[in-house]
Amino acid sequence: MKRIAVLTSGGDCSGMNAAIKGVVVECFMNNVEVVAVREGYKGLVNGNCEKIDFKVVEDAVQKGGTFLMTSRYPQFKEEHVFKKALDVIAENRIEGLVVIGGNGSMKGAEKLYKAGVPVVGIPASIDNDIYGTDIALGVDTALNVIIQALDIIRYTASSHGRVFVVETMGRKCGYLAATSALASGADAVLIPEVKFDVDSIIRRLEKEHKTGKTYSIVIVSEGTRATGEVLGKLEDAGFDTRMTVLGHIQRGGSPTVFDRLLAFRFAAKAIKSLLEGKYGYMVGLNRSRTTCTSIEKVVTHKRGIEDKNLLQFAKKKSR
Ligand code: ADP
Ligand code: F6P
């Protein structure tokens, strides 16, 4: 294999640039050319790609987002659009492809693999909902941003004696909410994986405030779609309430050391896999070791919250 392409797809996250650099470095060391595809699958379909050399990634590691750009491109599911991508791959003599992205991106990668493209995936999504890896790229940085925000919110909440409702990201997964609630000492947390009872949470907070508590922090995962309900019910109960939707700042900016190192490990494993002729896999980190899981398995399995203690904590704080 002498020419490998790399793209980033789906929601951006911290560590994507470090992973791209890792891919370029590993290829350089193995005398393999690198083709950078811009804007994910959209760029692949439109032939938005060019050969890059080492200089392009020299200062990439510390940057947030993805300098290759990314896209949500549902048209990639359509056969006639998908076929254009296969043409571009052939025209550009691409012999292997590294896809850096989340669950949706892995579905696209699986389709390419089934069509004969030698693909390896690198899991990258702040949601941490990708099967086959204990942690995806971007999660650690996102959590650090969330915790920093929650620590700041705690100061203002305590100063005014208020109840703060903080919404964290996670399209269908409560990992960010549950982990940040535990790490920040939040009073309540609502996640899609655990049955919650808003009325019961409010009764508990009322009791706590009657016996000396002066402020509270309630974390709601985006995936519950319950932020409005929680806010409304807290106001009806007479709490001085404020809401903060953390939104896209959770994508993180400059990656943590953990995410940078993880990116390099994932990239090294991905290129090794391609050069050894092991295609159709997603690299991952399991029990601190880099692993390969077939993308077919990745896209047909769900990753829930696997930490039983974390689930137990969420259960306790959800009523
Ligand atoms: P993420 O990869 O972060 O989960 P998305 O769900 O938006 O983000 O997926 C990224 C892209 O992957 C989509 O915009 C689309 O181009 C491609 N994709 C998603 N699902 C499929 C699918 N079933 N078949 C082919 N491509 C898909
Ligand atoms: O999948 C990552 C994620 O950040 C989700 O947590 C969130 O629901 C979604 O992406 C937001 O997507 P967009 O950046 O397209 O608004």
Side-chain angles (χ1 to χ4, degrees), residues 46-319:
N46 294 325
N48 191 359
C49 53
E50 62 182 352
K51 192 184 149 205
I52 56 168
D53 73 9
F54 190 79
K55 286 188 206 98
V56 180
V57 292
E58 254 172 7
D59 64 350
V61 178
Q62 66 271 35
K63 289 182 182 159
T66 162
F67 79 88
L68 286 184
M69 296 180 66
T70 183
S71 59
R72 306 262 190 213
Y73 186 60
Q75 296 92 320
F76 197 61
K77 294 175 198 165
E78 295 164 25
E79 273 327 298
H80 69 287
V81 177
F82 178 78
K83 284 213 174 84
K84 281 194 203 163
L86 297 180
D87 293 342
V88 169
I89 287 169
E91 280 158 21
N92 287 277
R93 296 176 288 107
I94 293 168
E95 296 170 20
L97 174 66
V98 179
V99 171
I100 306 171
N103 274 321
S105 304
M106 292 308 138
K107 284 184 190 156
E110 167 69 355
K111 210 167 160 195
L112 285 166
Y113 172 63
K114 285 214 167 121
V117 180
V119 180
V120 170
I122 292 182
S125 165
I126 65 167
D127 290 2
N128 211 25
D129 59 349
I130 308 171
Y131 184 86
T133 188
D134 289 342
I135 191 155
L137 218 51
V139 176
D140 185 64
T141 308
L143 280 172
N144 276 283
V145 169
I146 296 170
I147 293 299
Q148 213 182 342
L150 288 172
D151 289 350
I152 294 168
I153 283 169
R154 182 174 285 275
Y155 285 126
T156 178
S158 64
S159 302
H160 286 265
R162 285 172 170 158
V163 176
F164 260 82
V165 178
V166 183
E167 185 184 280
T168 58
M169 269 188 172
R171 199 187 308 174
K172 291 179 187 159
C173 178
Y175 183 85
L176 290 177
T179 308
S180 60
L182 179 60
S184 71
D187 301 285
V189 63
L190 289 79
I191 58 171
E193 293 85 350
V194 168
K195 206 165 168 253
F196 52 84
D197 182 339
V198 181
D199 297 320
S200 157
I201 289 173
I202 289 172
R203 283 196 298 277
R204 173 162 63 83
L205 295 186
E206 281 173 333
K207 223 187 261 175
E208 289 172 359
H209 280 237
K210 269 187 196 137
T211 54
K213 202 164 170 52
T214 54
Y215 73 97
S216 306
I217 313 277
V218 178
I219 299 182
V220 185
S221 169
E222 170 197 12
T224 63
R225 314 282 183 255
T227 310
E229 182 196 347
V230 176
L231 188 70
K233 286 188 168 170
L234 280 165
E235 281 172 347
D236 290 348
F239 285 109
D240 185 9
T241 314
R242 293 290 186 276
M243 179 183 69
T244 301
V245 176
L246 293 179
H248 289 77
I249 65 158
Q250 292 163 96
R251 291 281 170 79
S254 187
T256 56
V257 173
F258 180 88
D259 270 328
R260 295 177 195 205
L261 298 181
L262 188 65
F264 292 142
R265 288 184 76 184
F266 279 170
K269 187 83 174 173
I271 297 304
K272 185 168 184 273
S273 181
L274 279 176
L275 295 182
E276 284 175 355
K278 271 180 80 180
Y279 315 138
Y281 287 91
M282 186 193 79
V283 301
L285 190 77
N286 289 286
R287 297 178 185 196
S288 303
R289 284 170 186 264
T290 48
T291 53
C292 285
T293 305
S294 79
I295 301 182
E296 186 175 17
K297 196 163 181 192
V298 170
V299 298
T300 51
H301 286 71
K302 275 198 167 151
R303 183 185 191 278
I305 296 178
E306 287 168 358
D307 180 344
K308 290 207 171 64
N309 291 326
L310 188 60
L311 271 179
Q312 206 50 43
F313 164 80
K315 272 184 193 150
K316 211 172 93 193
K317 295 286 180 186
S318 65
R319 49 198 60 246

Side-chain angles (χ1 to χ4, degrees), residues 10-44:
D12 72 280
C13 69
S14 297
M16 280 182 159
N17 285 326
I20 298 163
K21 177 167 183 174
V23 165
V24 174
V25 171
E26 292 296 325
C27 285
F28 180 76
M29 288 191 314
N30 286 285
N31 274 325
V32 173
E33 288 179 355
V34 180
V35 174
V37 180
R38 296 194 183 274
E39 281 190 273
Y41 293 131
K42 187 177 168 192
L44 188 64

